[in-house]
Amino acid sequence: MLFYFSGTGNSAYVAEKISQVTGETLCSINKKIKTGESAPETAAGERLVFVVPTYGWRIPRIVENWIRSSHFPGNRQAYFVMTCGSDIGSASKYLQKLCRAKGFDYRGCAEIVMPENYIALFTTPEREAALEIIKRAEPAIERAAWEITNGRILTEPVQTASGKIKSSLVNTIYYPTMIHAKKFYATDACISCGKCQKDCPLNNVSIVCGKPKWGKDCTHCMACICGCPAEAIEYGNHSKGLPRYQFPK
């Protein structure tokens, strides 16, 4: 079974591409978290594939917590594929720790560089630039799919000193300082469609007096701001004038 978490479509695209090759059944972690469900029961001995974005150079904590709280019977081979805007740091170190806790046989973590979607901190690309980045990512996606299909350990990026710092110290600082919804707000361009509320995997967005209101359970997936059809959501001053990135259809 292939589990994926995706805010703006990058990981969903990679998951679908891999499933077409491996034949894995797709399961949206977004939907499971939103409805409060754990992983579905799967046949013993089935391999597990997790396709997720990179948050602070590790997998999202909300995804890690969901994996830890879900039951996966049998001896499982676990493959991880992480999408990112630049690199995944030393995420594999923490994935191996997670696998030991769950009794998984860790089978590696592939790095797939995709268009940047973290509009709260970085610059998001225009459509043509995004399409070029996706084109360059295709060989890495195909390689990961081939390695999973053939039972190979996934090819991982070379570990660096800076990667180790980013996945440890920077990640530790990043969550308490950055992961909150305090800076999100809706402008007068809001059309009260409710899409942001529907798309939020943590049910952290509610519609009050026709406009979205954010709670305290944000994971910074950017689904609300990048998925707004009216581009009516901003994140402080940083997002102003930046293109809203969603995987191009």
Side-chain angles (χ1 to χ4, degrees), residues 8 10 13 115 127 130-131 134 245-249:
T8 63
N10 281 340
Y13 172 76
R127 179 180 174 84
L131 289 172
I134 294 166
Y245 175 77
Q246 281 197 308
F247 187 85
K249 303 298 184 181

Side-chain angles (χ1 to χ4, degrees), residues 87 89-90 157-166:
D87 66 273
S90 292
V158 176
Q159 299 295 301
T160 64
S162 63
K164 293 177 182 178
I165 293 173
K166 288 187 287 189

Side-chain angles (χ1 to χ4, degrees), residues 18-52:
I18 291 176
S19 73
Q20 290 173 358
V21 177
T22 64
E24 308 287 350
T25 301
L26 289 170
C27 179
S28 169
I29 296 176
N30 298 60
K31 293 179 180 178
K32 294 297 181 182
I33 292 175
K34 190 172 184 67
T35 57
E37 299 177 75
S38 61
E41 292 292 334
T42 53
E46 186 178 347
R47 67 189 170 202
L48 303 172
V49 182
F50 298 95
V51 181
V52 298

Side-chain angles (χ1 to χ4, degrees), residues 136-157:
R136 293 199 298 266
E138 295 294 348
I141 299 172
E142 293 171 1
R143 180 178 64 193
W146 182 87
E147 289 173 339
I148 294 169
T149 301
N150 289 278
R152 305 291 184 89
I153 294 177
L154 289 171
T155 300
E156 298 189 335

Side-chain angles (χ1 to χ4, degrees), residues 224-239:
C224 61
I225 185 171
C226 287
C228 177
E231 297 190 5
I233 298 174
E234 300 287 0
Y235 188 82
N237 291 321
H238 185 271
S239 62

Side-chain angles (χ1 to χ4, degrees), residues 119-122 182-185 187 225 233-242 244:
I119 197 171
L121 188 61
F122 301 121
K182 296 176 183 177
K183 293 185 179 181
F184 283 116
Y185 67 93
T187 69
I225 185 171
I233 298 174
E234 300 287 0
Y235 188 82
N237 291 321
H238 185 271
S239 62
K240 292 181 178 179
L242 291 178
R244 271 42 176 171

Side-chain angles (χ1 to χ4, degrees), residues 89-125:
S90 292
S92 63
K93 172 184 176 181
Y94 302 91
L95 290 173
Q96 290 177 58
K97 182 178 179 180
L98 171 62
C99 286
R100 287 194 294 270
K102 294 296 296 182
F104 295 161
D105 174 15
Y106 176 71
R107 302 293 292 173
C109 178
E111 174 186 276
I112 312 292
V113 178
M114 293 289 281
E116 182 61 66
N117 75 340
Y118 196 31
I119 197 171
L121 188 61
F122 301 121
T123 299
T124 44

